[in-house]
Every structure is written in C-alpha cells, then in structure tokens.
Amino acid sequence: MTREEVYGKLNEVFQDVFDDEDIEVNDGTTSADVDGWDSLEHINLIVAVERTFGIKFTMGETTGLKNVGEMVDKIIAHLG
Amino acid sequence: MSLVSAAFLGFILLAALVYYVIPGKARQVWLLILSIAFCCAGGFYTLVFVLISAVTTFTGGALSAKKTKPAIRNVFCAVTVIFNLALLVMVKFYGVMDLIADKLNYFFASGAQTSTFMLYAVPVGMSFYTLQMIGYVLDCRWERIAPEKNFLKYLLFATYFPYLTSGPMNTYAALSAELDKSKEVRFSITRLKEGSIRIAWGFLKKLVIAERAATLVNASYGDHKTYTGIYVLLGVISFAVQLYADFSGCMDVVLGTSHLLGIDLPENFNSPYLALSIREYWQRWHITLGSWLRDYLFYPILKTPLFIKIGDISRKAFGKKKGKKVPVYLAMLVLWFAVGYWHGGLWKYIIGSGLLHCFYIVSGMMAEPLFAKIRPVIRADKAYFKVFQIVRTFFLVLLGFVFFRSANLPDAIDMFRALVRSGGIAFDIEGIMGMGISLPDLYVLVLGVILLAAVDIFKYREKETDEPRSILELINKGGILAGWAVFVLLVLLVLVFGKYGLGYDSGAFIYARI
C-alpha cells in the first residue's frame, strides 16, 4: 500500500472517529490540530486505525506517536 | 533526611562542589554514591526496599524484552510487576508492618514496645518509586526502550536522590538521557542562581506558608464542635493552601537541586487552582502521576480485548456517539479507584482522591451535549464565565480535600455537618487567633498566599499543554544582580518568617507519606 493510499483510508478513519467530514490529515498533523483528539478519544482512534488496516500497534506505538506522519510510518511498517 | 533541613542543604552543597570538581566521566559514580548515602539516611529498610526493587525490575525488564515468545515475556513482566506491587503494599500498610515488626522485636528480644521501630523505618514516598520502576519493566515489555545493560547506571536511575522521596515520576528514557548530560555539564553561575532561587522558593512555600496554614487546618479539622460554619470553610481552604505549598514547595526543592547538577526533571505542577475543569485540574496537578496512569494503566485497559468488545456492544446498544464512551467510563472507574487506593488504601483516599473525581469527570462528559447547547446562551466565552469555572473547579477540589485530610470517612462527614452546625464560636479575628495563630502570623500567611497566587497567575497559560511563563526568565531580564537580590530576599524571608529552628519540628512533606 502506498503512502497516498494509506492517507486515503486514514482520512476516512479520522472523519468517522471525530465526526467531521472536513478533516484532512497530513504528516505534520498532531492532536492539537484535530478538534476532539484528546487522551480519551485517542484509543478509539487507535483501535479504529488497527481495524481498518488489519494491524496491531504495540503499547509503545500507541502512546509514543508524535504526529500523523509517524502513525503512517508505523502502519506501512506493520503492513510491510 | 528531610528535603527542608539544614542537613539536606549541606548535602546539596557537598554534592555540587565535588560534582563540578571531578571529571565528567566520574560524575555518575559520584551521584550513585550520594544516592546510596541518601537511601541509608532514610534507614536500613529504605535501602533494602530500594535495592530489592532495583534488582528485580532490572532483571524483570531484561527478561521481558528478550526475543523470546511474547507469552513468556508476559509472564516475566507480570511476575516482576506483581512482586513489586506486593512489596509496596506490604510496606505501605502498617497492619502488615506491625505484624512483621512485632515478630522481629520478639525475635531480637529488643524489648521495644510493639512496632515503633519498624513503623518509622519503612520507606517514605515509595508509591512514586514503585510505579516508576514498574514503568521501566512495562517500557521494556512494550519495546518502548531497550533494557539497560549496565546495572550501576540503572541503580542510579532507581536511586537518584533528589526525587527519591516525593517524585516527580520519570520515565527511564527521559531520566537516563538527563543523567547522561552529567558527563558534559559545566559549572555555570546562571544555573547556580536559578537552582538556588528555586530551592529558596521551595523552602519559603514550605516553612513560611504551608506550616502556618497547617495551624488553621489542624484546629478546624481537630475540633468540629468549636469550629463550625465559616471556620470549616477557612480550615478547608487552608488545607488546599497547605497541601499545594507543601507538595509544590517540595518539588521546587527537588527540581532546583537537580537543576544545580544540570539534570532537569519534569514539572509536577502548572497553576492547578486556575484549572477550568476537573479534567484540566489533573493535567495541572501532580502532572507526572497523571501521565504515568494514562500511559501505563488507562490506555492498556482500554486496549484490552474485553474493553474493545464492551465498546462494540455499547455502540450497538446506545449508538456510535454515546456507545464509544461506555468503555471510557468503565476504565475511568478502574483508574480512579486505583488513584485513590494508591494514595493510601483507605476509603477517605479512595473517595476523596479517586471516585469523587471520577464522578465529576464522568458526569461532566455525560452532560456535555447539554452544556454544548447552554454555552452559547449564557455567553460562556466571556471572561466572567472563566472566573466562574475556576471558582467552581476549586470548590469541587476542596470537597475531595475534606476526605483526604480528615482522619477517616465518618470524620469527613462530620466536617461537612460542622459547616451547617450551630453552636460554635463566633467568626471574628479573635476566634481565628484562638485557632493557635498570632495576628502577625496571620498577616504573613495572607501575604504568602497572595504571593503564591500572583506567581501562579503570572505563570498561567490558558492551554494546559503550553509551556508556562517562566518567572526565572523574568528575573533574569533584570540582570545578574536582580537574580541574586531575589535569592537573598527569599532567604531572608525564610530566615525571618520560616517556622523552623531548635525545638521546632517542621512537619514532614504530606506527599512523602504517600
């Protein structure tokens, strides 16, 4: 799966979890940029991403991601 | 050794002097010697506790990270975590310690009455410590870090003396990186000045403010018949002042000491009494505990197959928006019960520092759709509403503190009753002085609280995740002399107004008992 394809699916996940069809994420997007992405919603997002891509993040990855770019890197690594 | 004592100041002085004289490579060894000496000063049992904890977590971390089957690594990880939690529970709960002490006294035929020698020999502040050590093992298991191979380096992480009694809690990755800085760090007047100011400010908070507030607290919490009505309110607010000045003052001494050595530890407070909500309050109060609980308890619970399944079922039952919150509420219940229990295993803590806050946060989340409708009507974006939110949050925190400070649950309930009970003495200046505080002391306390509030208001930033304004930067703008003038002023204030000296036993830090 290419990075663009990952982003295509990932945008849908973000739009669904945060109930906002206008969300478009990129490498630099952080929790501060997305309305509602707080510590309580974070796990919902992680589980939704895992299900969409059929992968399983480690706990280290779950809490250690700095931005969406890193999340995409990890998704690609898990898929690879 | 108390962190607010002449002995500790002497200890810091010796530590820093030798630290900057010896070569960089030898500094970690020096810090380890100091830390072991500090443990020894805490008593033989403190040293034993720390060593057992360090050896088991070091070994457990290495075995949990080895490239074996995940199931085996889970077993090593679980055994280490359970062993260390059991060790903590054993030393924390005096009932068990009394039992052991009685046996030991009997065994040694010391003639000591019951258990006093063990009671005071048990390590203080070990709740922070155990959680931090468990964090290391989990980090290894979850492959956040590679396990440390050098036991002496790990032992330094485990015993680093500034934070040993009261935190702040550190992750291995962060603290080991800071400890590595010790090899390169060079003596600097600016660092000396900043560290000294911070330590003096901590002493002032503890000896000038907290110790005076304690007088009002002890009187009002100690006699619910004499002190009713507004006196109860005075006592409860005084406890909020005492606890904050005490705990954050302790952190100032810890962080200031470590800063002197060029090793920066994480902040534990960020203007907590200016929080707009209880959730925000917990991101500003005891920050490192909150981060630990989120990363090592809350997230892992929510990621268990059971909680994911609960989420799926509740989404089907209650719809997507409401349903996804159900596992969060349940995980909150577990989390806050653990927070309360961690504070001391008594119901007053489980309610006051745990379940009550869980109720605040969960009910707030449940009522959020209603609040969202009300906010535009009452113009919640205006300043008046923010002031209301700050006052309301502080009031809710105070309710929890009543449980926290009271002797037990019935005592806390009686304290609430005393608020509306008649028959107490009239509220006037003489009545307040009758609580055991002189008029000059009362003035000093009020001025101290104003100073404390002014500093917090200056540091405050609306977003709790933003770096607070630095008061040291402001002082530095005034030039080198301004910094030292502030330091001398703080020292003078402590010397003149501090509650210390021969025959005066400054109370132990409240959180060192946790």
Side-chain angles (χ1 to χ4, degrees):
Chain A
M1 199 178 279
T2 65
R3 208 169 174 84
E4 285 70 33
E5 285 168 337
V6 170
Y7 265 112
K9 278 188 167 188
L10 199 58
N11 275 325
E12 285 175 23
V13 176
F14 269 82
Q15 289 160 7
D16 183 48
V17 169
F18 298 110
D19 242 348
D20 181 353
E21 287 179 7
D22 297 329
I23 296 180
E24 289 278 334
V25 290
N26 56 50
D27 277 359
T29 306
T30 67
S31 57
D33 304 318
V34 179
D35 203 22
W37 188 0
D38 56 20
S39 58
L40 302 181
E41 205 61 71
H42 181 65
I43 291 291
N44 279 327
L45 173 70
I46 289 289
V47 172
V49 172
E50 286 180 342
R51 282 186 171 165
T52 303
F53 292 95
I55 58 168
K56 198 94 185 140
F57 288 118
T58 65
M59 273 316 297
E61 289 165 346
T62 300
T63 55
L65 298 170
K66 288 189 180 68
N67 52 37
V68 173
E70 278 193 16
M71 185 187 273
V72 172
D73 292 343
K74 297 290 176 194
I75 292 169
I76 291 169
H78 277 286
L79 290 172
Chain B
M1 190 188 306
S2 167
L3 297 186
V4 175
S5 65
F8 186 69
L9 285 180
F11 190 78
I12 300 173
L13 198 64
L14 174 75
L17 268 176
V18 176
Y19 184 81
Y20 283 111
V21 169
I22 58 178
K25 278 182 187 171
R27 285 185 185 148
Q28 290 201 2
V29 177
W30 173 237
L31 288 178
L32 185 59
I33 292 169
L34 289 167
S35 300
I36 297 291
F38 189 80
C39 282
C40 292
F44 175 69
Y45 291 99
T46 304
L47 186 65
V48 170
F49 180 92
V50 166
L51 285 177
I52 292 174
S53 190
V55 169
T56 53
T57 50
F58 179 77
T59 314
L63 293 171
S64 304
K66 270 195 171 170
K67 296 280 174 202
T68 50
K69 284 181 185 169
I72 295 171
R73 294 162 64 189
N74 284 343
V75 170
F76 282 128
C77 182
V79 167
T80 314
V81 170
I82 291 167
F83 174 83
N84 277 276
L85 281 177
L87 195 66
L88 175 68
V89 170
M90 204 177 81
V91 294
K92 266 188 81 105
F93 299 105
Y94 292 158
V96 180
M97 290 313 294
D98 281 350
L99 193 71
I100 298 169
D102 284 345
K103 297 278 182 209
L104 279 175
N105 283 334
Y106 176 76
F107 182 74
F108 291 120
S110 64
Q113 287 187 346
T114 66
S115 57
T116 47
F117 94 94
M118 275 294 268
L119 203 67
Y120 296 105
V122 293
V124 290
M126 287 304 150
S127 296
F128 303 93
Y129 180 76
T130 301
L131 291 190
Q132 182 175 289
M133 295 297 106
I134 287 173
Y136 169 78
V137 180
L138 294 175
D139 278 348
C140 291
R141 172 62 192 91
W142 292 335
E143 296 171 30
R144 273 194 192 127
I145 54 167
E148 176 57 56
K149 288 177 182 149
N150 181 342
F151 178 69
L152 289 181
K153 191 176 174 198
Y154 183 74
L155 192 59
L156 176 58
F157 161 74
T159 58
Y160 183 53
F161 73 91
Y163 78 74
L164 196 63
T165 57
S166 302
M169 289 159 74
N170 296 273
T171 60
Y172 186 75
L175 185 57
S176 66
E178 283 295 320
L179 289 170
D180 281 343
K181 277 165 54 183
S182 67
K183 291 173 195 160
E184 313 291 339
V185 69
R186 300 175 81 170
F187 177 77
S188 120
I189 290 286
T190 307
R191 190 179 300 113
L192 176 70
K193 182 183 65 183
E194 289 176 349
S196 304
I197 290 174
R198 186 115 199 223
I199 293 169
W201 175 230
F203 268 63
L204 185 133
K205 279 186 187 172
K206 169 70 176 166
L207 295 177
V208 178
I209 303 173
E211 295 291 302
R212 276 186 178 78
T215 311
L216 300 178
V217 174
N218 294 341
S220 60
Y221 277 86
D223 184 353
H224 301 174
K225 286 199 170 61
T226 308
Y227 299 112
T228 58
I230 299 176
Y231 283 107
V232 174
L233 207 56
L234 179 68
V236 172
I237 292 173
S238 297
F239 180 65
V241 170
Q242 183 199 354
L243 187 63
Y244 180 46
D246 182 285
F247 193 11
S248 70
C250 175
M251 286 303 109
D252 288 323
V253 175
V254 169
L255 269 72
T257 302
S258 200
H259 186 68
L260 280 181
L261 304 171
I263 295 162
D264 288 320
L265 299 175
E267 294 287 345
N268 235 355
F269 293 96
N270 179 9
S271 306
Y273 293 157
L274 297 176
L276 301 180
S277 68
I278 290 291
R279 266 184 75 185
E280 189 187 319
Y281 167 79
W282 281 101
Q283 281 157 354
R284 292 177 177 274
W285 173 278
H286 209 165
I287 298 165
T288 56
L289 174 68
S291 306
W292 193 98
L293 290 166
R294 183 195 61 216
D295 290 351
Y296 297 100
L297 187 64
F298 188 64
Y299 283 164
I301 289 175
L302 281 173
K303 270 207 88 185
T304 55
L306 174 67
F307 273 74
I308 291 174
K309 185 87 187 157
I310 291 172
D312 291 342
I313 295 168
S314 56
R315 271 190 195 89
K316 276 182 196 152
F318 306 112
K320 193 182 123 191
K321 262 191 170 176
K322 286 181 185 165
K324 70 178 179 182
K325 295 216 166 80
V326 172
V328 173
Y329 297 152
L330 290 173
M332 283 259 184
L333 200 63
V334 177
L335 173 85
W336 287 103
F337 186 87
V339 173
Y341 191 81
W342 174 87
H343 274 86
L346 302 171
W347 277 106
K348 64 168 189 157
Y349 293 125
I350 294 170
I351 291 176
S353 297
L355 298 181
L356 188 64
H357 286 265
C358 179
F359 170 73
Y360 291 154
I361 293 172
V362 170
S363 57
M365 285 172 70
M366 284 176 155
E368 181 51 34
L370 181 66
F371 291 154
K373 282 180 190 159
I374 295 172
R375 269 188 218 113
V377 181
I378 59 170
R379 309 195 72 180
D381 53 335
K382 299 283 178 197
Y384 89 93
F385 192 71
K386 289 203 164 55
V387 174
F388 161 75
Q389 284 177 300
I390 290 170
V391 173
R392 176 207 57 193
T393 305
F394 184 60
F395 174 76
L396 295 175
V397 169
L398 288 181
L399 291 183
F401 282 163
V402 172
F403 290 98
F404 186 98
R405 173 58 180 80
S406 295
N408 47 43
L409 216 50
D411 191 45
I413 291 162
D414 200 42
M415 189 74 177
F416 287 120
R417 282 197 188 127
L419 191 64
V420 289
R421 189 183 291 147
S422 57
I425 58 170
F427 186 76
D428 53 26
I429 198 75
E430 280 181 14
I432 296 173
M433 285 163 65
M435 297 171 94
I437 192 165
S438 68
L439 200 56
D441 273 346
L442 193 61
Y443 286 139
V444 172
L445 175 60
V446 171
L447 289 173
V449 171
I450 291 171
L451 182 64
L452 193 61
V455 168
D456 267 20
I457 290 169
F458 175 81
K459 285 162 63 181
Y460 177 78
R461 294 224 193 240
E462 198 165 326
K463 272 188 93 174
E464 67 277 10
T465 44
D466 287 349
E467 184 84 6
R469 271 192 203 91
S470 166
I471 205 133
L472 283 171
E473 261 177 37
L474 180 77
I475 294 169
N476 282 338
K477 276 184 190 162
I480 184 117
L481 281 179
W484 287 112
V486 169
F487 173 68
V488 171
L489 180 67
L490 289 172
V491 172
L492 284 176
L493 288 173
V494 172
L495 289 175
V496 175
F497 298 113
K499 296 271 187 184
Y500 66 94
L502 286 175
Y504 189 87
D505 179 23
S506 113
F509 283 112
I510 296 170
Y511 256 78
R513 286 178 230 144
I514 300 294

